[in-house]
Amino acid sequence: MKATKGEAGYIQARKKQLILKAVLEFGIVIALLILGIWQTHTRLNLLTVVAVLGCLPAAKALVEVITISPYHSIAEERAKEIQKHAEDLTVAFDLVFTSKDKFMPVDSIIILDNTICGYSSGKKIDPVYTGKHLRQMLEQNQYTKVSVKIFTDYTAFLARAESMQHMAETTDLTQRKKEEGIRHLLFQISL
């Protein structure tokens, strides 16, 4: 089963996909290099040039593996618990946001109208900076007056999710479209 961005387990599935891609691309480069040398008995041949050019996408895949490797997917039990507490809310899992200065892993995000709450289990994350960065990105894309709060305490996040769930019972279709737009934008600015 292929995990899509925003689902629990996405980061782990993406790691496997990128590792396989990097190994395959470097395997093709090595195969072309060996084939060229075997056929012409010299490294000065056209297949060597193709192999060298093939190193560019292979190196790009390796950089992607290195970039995502420090981050982990949310635990399956926690994802199910969050889903249970946020049944009628727009939810996303396994997002890693980037800015010029930092990487900011967020395990889960819950969206209701103009309110976004996130949970991060990362030890090095600055929740205030992350919230400010996400708010700026939303404002740059015409989502104004959105409040963003990132929690590092799981029980406080679940309590907030429950209170948002109670407010979600009065949500109409236009709000859902806006929430999906915000969710889509968050997907675009994450790894």
Side-chain angles (χ1 to χ4, degrees):
M1 184 175 112
K2 183 181 176 187
T4 58
K5 193 177 271 194
E7 291 181 359
Y10 171 74
I11 291 177
Q12 295 306 109
R14 184 75 177 143
K15 279 183 193 179
K16 289 177 186 175
Q17 179 186 29
L18 289 173
I19 289 170
L20 180 63
K21 181 180 175 184
V23 167
L24 184 65
E25 288 182 5
F26 276 112
I28 291 171
V29 167
I30 291 169
L32 286 172
L33 189 62
I34 291 171
L35 181 64
I37 292 172
W38 180 69
Q39 284 184 339
T40 63
H41 302 290
T42 179
R43 61 182 171 85
L44 303 174
N45 60 62
L46 188 59
L47 286 178
T48 302
V49 174
V50 174
V52 169
L53 291 176
C55 286
L56 294 173
K60 180 181 181 281
L62 183 61
V63 167
E64 290 175 340
V65 169
I66 292 168
T67 302
I68 202 166
S69 65
Y71 307 107
H72 304 285
S73 292
I74 188 170
E76 193 173 325
E77 307 83 44
R78 283 201 170 176
K80 288 178 182 177
E81 188 175 10
I82 291 169
Q83 284 285 21
K84 186 177 84 174
H85 286 14
E87 292 173 354
D88 299 326
L89 301 172
T90 305
V91 181
F93 297 101
D94 290 351
L95 301 172
V96 179
F97 300 106
T98 58
S99 70
K100 292 187 306 185
D101 305 321
K102 298 182 180 189
F103 283 84
M104 301 159 280
V106 177
D107 297 350
S108 178
I109 289 227
I110 297 173
I111 306 166
L112 176 65
D113 193 25
N114 284 339
T115 306
I116 299 174
C117 288
Y119 166 69
S120 177
S121 61
K123 305 290 185 231
K124 297 179 181 177
I125 190 169
D126 180 359
V128 175
Y129 179 84
T130 304
K132 182 180 175 187
H133 174 71
L134 292 179
R135 200 169 19 264
Q136 287 173 346
M137 296 306 290
L138 290 165
E139 286 174 2
Q140 288 175 5
N141 289 279
Q142 285 72 43
Y143 291 106
T144 57
K145 299 180 183 174
V146 177
S147 73
V148 180
K149 171 79 171 151
I150 305 297
F151 293 88
T152 55
D153 179 19
Y154 184 66
T155 54
F157 173 72
L158 277 184
R160 182 66 177 139
E162 282 184 35
S163 67
M164 289 173 71
Q165 173 63 31
H166 293 300
M167 291 186 284
E169 296 168 358
T170 61
T171 308
D172 63 355
L173 186 60
T174 57
Q175 282 180 304
R176 289 287 178 202
K177 288 182 182 178
K178 180 181 178 183
E179 292 169 6
E180 284 300 320
I182 291 172
R183 182 176 186 240
H184 182 70
L185 175 64
L186 292 176
F187 289 169
Q188 289 178 335
I189 62 173
S190 71
L191 292 181

